[in-house]
Amino acid sequence: MAAELTPVEALIPAITLLGFGASAALASKAMRLSPIVGYLLVGILIGPGVLGLIEISSATHLLAELGVVFLLFDIGMHVSLRELNESRRDLLRLAPLHLFLTGLISAAALAMSGVDWPIAIAVGLSLGLSSTAVVARILTEREQNSCPIGRSATHVLIFQDIVAIFLMIFASSLGSEEVGAQGLAGLVSDLLLGGGDVPLAVALGLSLVQTVIAFGAALLVGKYLINPVFRTLVATRNDEAFTAFTLLLVLAAACATAVIGLSLTLGAFLAGLAVSGTPFRHQVQTEMGPFRGLLLSFFFISVGLSIDVPALMSHLGLVLLGAVGILVVKTALGYVAARVNSWSVPGATQMAFLLAQGSEFTLVVLSLGAIVAGISSGLMSSIVAAVALSLALAPSWAGLGVRLSRRLAERSKTAVETAPAGVTDRPVIVIGMSSAGRLAIDALVDHHIPYIALEGDPDRFLAAVADGYKVSFGDASNMKLVEAVGGSNARAVVLGFARYEVSREVTPTITRRFPDLQRFVAVDNRLDLERYLDIGVRAHLAGGQPKGIEMVADILLTLDVPEPEVREWMEEEAERFAIGDASSGEEKIDVDEIVGEAA
């Protein structure tokens, strides 16, 4: 047996990761680089291939995996049952098509290079996965969590994290027709097979049953156990106990799903899903935020550590070709998947670039015994390095996708002459793609209310189209344009920007032509509030976050959306805002006050 580590030997890896991680974060900010790139470069620098200050060990692997665990917990907290239900198109169409198109093409390429088909399928499907940690960080940095691109990308990642469980079972079974029994499969083995191995098909089926049971258990535990416990802890006013219980919840849930043969990350996601149904999710997110950020930095550094620098240099051409191939092929196939699922050309382009990198899970699959035995060492090192390099290039590649999607949107930019086809119900007209205008559109889409969006500024128009919004280009101060898009039949008009002089000038015309048309606006000061109210515009002082949420609550109530649904929507939007706002340590809005004033 190996000698036990001394306290100093055990602490050195953590100290090294902390010190260089902090340095990477500071240097990245000073150089205006994504922190992901800084962490990856630091991992390469301090790894065995360069300075040799730290090696991959069980301790570094655990710290890295915990980073993904806390990330999935945070994602789970921001996914409600209603959103899962409304994201059926993403979960059942976009995500499967994206995964299997990219995965099977990758598998075919590996098979053509001489890899046996079963191993090629396992590795190829793992290459079809995208990195949850990388994409979530990119969306946060670009403040795209709540826009259509961010929502759909998150749904795709959730689907992939669930599929990864079954891919691991398949990859672990290679080399035999049966898989070692564990969890529910182990129980079946003991009861029916005398402790023998369970056939692969049975193991996969039982894992699916386990996953469904785990989802149901998470919902019940959240309602009948976690909510009462949090309520009790809050009553005691013991902050330390609240933090301790939250940590216990994350780690215990992750451990529980691992014990029954699933994955740590699935347990963490289910724990977050359980918390999402309680009124304490804002506080939980605040408590867990520092842990998530710290451990995620360890994950990215560990990816850098996994790059074999000598192998990288000896197979540099193959590695570069592999990394570029991963990005280009996944971008092309991801674009096809998005277009098949009715995304616009600019939106499909940005989505494809965003999800084009490899996945941390691919590195896990490549470390399995059957995979290692079935792939030559040179090809293995090249694939690992190519995947890691694709992770390092992901922020820049996603940025290229944003710029390209905006160029594509600019090519298709045309002024609106007639009402868009397919608008048969009375729409809401949203003028100006400000943050408040985008929030209004998000709310209308969530409640299945038709809308028409107009934006006259070219830059804002291109940015909105690239982010997945359906927007028409045109100057909304032109009354003929407003009539053309359905102003005479509109249910309401949302003013994305508070331009009092323009509103005052057009008020007599609007009042005469559209006497029943209600206008809404969010303003920053009481002077504008009073001036807008005087000309008949329903103005709201934007005091909460996300900006304009008071105005949108009033819009929904005016359009006869039930008050409980408005409350639920407001709470969910406050959560989404908190993902992208690092300074958000408290609940940003008073739901009761806003709903009361709007009502």
Side-chain angles (χ1 to χ4, degrees):
M1 296 180 62
E4 293 185 4
L5 294 176
T6 65
V8 173
E9 291 173 331
L11 284 174
I12 284 178
I15 293 173
T16 305
L17 289 175
L18 283 170
F20 280 91
S23 301
L26 293 173
S28 300
K29 186 173 183 179
M31 299 172 65
R32 296 184 178 180
L33 293 174
S34 168
I36 297 173
V37 176
Y39 293 139
L40 289 168
L41 292 177
V42 160
I44 296 173
L45 178 65
I46 66 177
V50 183
L51 298 180
L53 299 179
I54 189 173
E55 295 183 355
I56 299 177
S57 63
S58 58
T60 58
H61 178 73
L62 176 61
L63 289 173
E65 191 166 11
L66 285 177
V68 183
V69 163
F70 277 87
L71 173 66
L72 266 293
F73 175 69
D74 189 74
I75 290 175
M77 281 194 295
H78 297 88
V79 176
S80 66
L81 287 179
R82 189 184 77 176
E83 183 168 353
L84 285 177
N85 181 58
E86 293 178 349
S87 63
R88 291 191 302 273
R89 188 181 71 172
D90 290 336
L91 294 175
L92 300 179
R93 292 176 54 188
L94 174 60
L97 186 60
H98 181 278
L99 173 60
F100 291 113
L101 270 180
T102 56
L104 293 179
I105 291 295
S106 300
L110 288 169
M112 292 175 62
S113 68
V115 178
D116 291 340
W117 264 108
I119 294 176
I121 290 174
V123 177
L125 286 177
S126 73
L127 288 170
L129 302 173
S130 304
S131 173
T132 300
V134 171
V135 174
R137 187 64 179 261
I138 292 173
L139 291 175
T140 297
E141 291 176 357
R142 296 184 179 278
E143 298 182 349
Q144 291 181 309
N145 291 289
S146 62
C147 70
I149 288 288
R151 292 190 186 188
S152 290
T154 300
H155 299 153
V156 170
L157 294 172
I158 290 172
F159 174 85
Q160 292 183 357
D161 288 330
I162 295 172
V163 170
I165 300 165
F166 304 98
L167 180 57
M168 175 65 78
I169 296 173
F170 174 74
S172 300
S173 72
L174 294 178
S176 67
E177 295 182 356
E178 297 179 322
V179 61
Q182 56 182 341
L184 186 57
L187 178 60
V188 172
S189 171
D190 293 337
L191 294 178
L192 302 180
L193 303 177
D197 288 337
V198 177
L200 174 60
V202 175
L204 291 172
L206 292 175
S207 294
L208 177 60
V209 173
Q210 286 176 303
T211 303
V212 173
I213 293 174
F215 267 87
L219 299 177
L220 293 175
V221 168
K223 183 176 181 179
Y224 296 108
L225 178 61
I226 295 177
N227 194 24
V229 170
F230 276 138
R231 204 175 293 277
T232 302
L233 292 174
V234 168
T236 64
R237 299 181 182 277
N238 190 325
D239 295 338
E240 291 79 7
F242 191 97
T243 303
F245 178 76
T246 304
L247 279 172
L248 173 65
L249 172 64
V250 179
L251 298 178
C255 183
T257 51
V259 166
I260 65 174
L262 299 177
S263 69
L264 291 172
T265 52
L266 177 64
F269 173 77
L270 293 176
L273 188 64
V275 173
S276 71
T278 74
F280 306 101
R281 52 191 173 276
H282 296 290
Q283 183 62 26
V284 170
Q285 186 201 11
T286 301
E287 297 291 336
M288 293 299 101
F291 295 98
R292 180 194 63 181
L294 176 63
L295 292 171
L296 266 182
S297 69
F298 290 169
F299 163 75
F300 290 118
I301 293 175
S302 73
V303 172
L305 292 175
S306 69
I307 297 178
D308 188 340
V309 177
L312 173 63
M313 300 308 298
S314 61
H315 300 88
L316 185 58
L318 184 58
V319 170
L320 293 176
L321 180 62
V324 172
I326 289 173
L327 294 172
V328 172
V329 171
K330 291 188 70 173
T331 298
L333 296 176
Y335 174 82
V336 172
R339 289 290 290 155
V340 168
N341 283 274
S342 303
W343 277 83
S344 66
V345 171
T349 301
Q350 187 173 176
M351 176 77 74
F353 275 80
L354 179 63
L355 298 174
Q357 73 290 132
S359 169
E360 57 273 8
F361 185 78
T362 306
L363 304 177
V364 177
V365 171
L366 291 172
S367 67
L368 298 176
I371 305 297
V372 173
I375 300 180
S376 64
S377 59
L379 180 59
M380 174 69 73
S381 298
S382 299
I383 294 176
V384 170
V387 170
L389 184 57
S390 75
L391 292 172
L393 294 174
S396 300
W397 191 254
L400 175 62
V402 171
R403 293 190 293 273
L404 180 59
S405 66
R406 293 185 181 182
R407 287 183 179 273
L408 292 171
E410 186 173 13
R411 288 185 180 181
S412 62
K413 179 181 67 177
T414 55
V416 179
E417 299 294 343
T418 59
V423 179
T424 57
D425 197 3
R426 296 180 62 196
V428 174
I429 300 177
V430 180
I431 299 175
M433 294 302 293
S434 63
S435 57
R438 289 183 173 214
L439 184 66
I441 292 176
D442 293 339
L444 296 172
V445 171
D446 285 345
H447 293 88
H448 310 291
I449 299 171
Y451 76 91
I452 297 170
L454 295 174
E455 176 56 69
D457 180 85
D459 292 335
R460 284 195 299 269
F461 168 79
L462 297 178
V465 172
D467 286 346
Y469 290 98
K470 295 180 180 179
V471 190
S472 297
F473 183 78
D475 183 5
S477 63
N478 185 341
M479 284 296 100
K480 292 183 179 180
L481 176 62
V482 175
E483 289 180 332
V485 300
S488 58
N489 193 42
R491 301 174 70 179
V493 170
V494 179
L495 305 177
F497 294 95
R499 294 169 177 164
Y500 172 74
E501 289 74 13
V502 176
S503 297
R504 182 184 60 183
E505 183 178 343
V506 300
T507 289
T509 303
I510 289 179
T511 303
R512 184 177 66 256
R513 294 188 182 182
F514 320 119
D516 299 325
L517 186 63
Q518 296 197 66
R519 290 172 291 164
F520 298 83
V521 69
V523 298
D524 295 322
N525 57 75
R526 293 197 172 276
L527 175 60
D528 281 342
L529 177 70
E530 294 173 357
R531 293 196 299 176
Y532 270 105
L533 292 175
D534 287 341
I535 60 174
V537 179
R538 298 184 67 143
H540 292 270
L541 190 62
Q545 295 289 358
K547 184 176 181 180
I549 195 166
E550 301 91 347
M551 173 191 70
V552 178
D554 188 19
I555 294 170
L556 294 177
L557 290 171
T558 302
L559 298 177
D560 299 322
V561 176
E563 183 176 315
E565 292 187 19
V566 176
R567 290 176 180 273
E568 181 181 359
W569 176 84
M570 292 175 67
E571 292 172 352
E572 291 177 357
E573 285 304 315
E575 293 171 24
R576 290 195 186 100
F577 175 82
I579 302 177
D581 183 12
S583 65
S584 60
E586 301 177 0
E587 187 170 353
K588 296 291 184 179
I589 60 173
D590 187 329
V591 174
D592 292 333
E593 180 181 351
I594 294 174
V595 172
E597 289 181 356

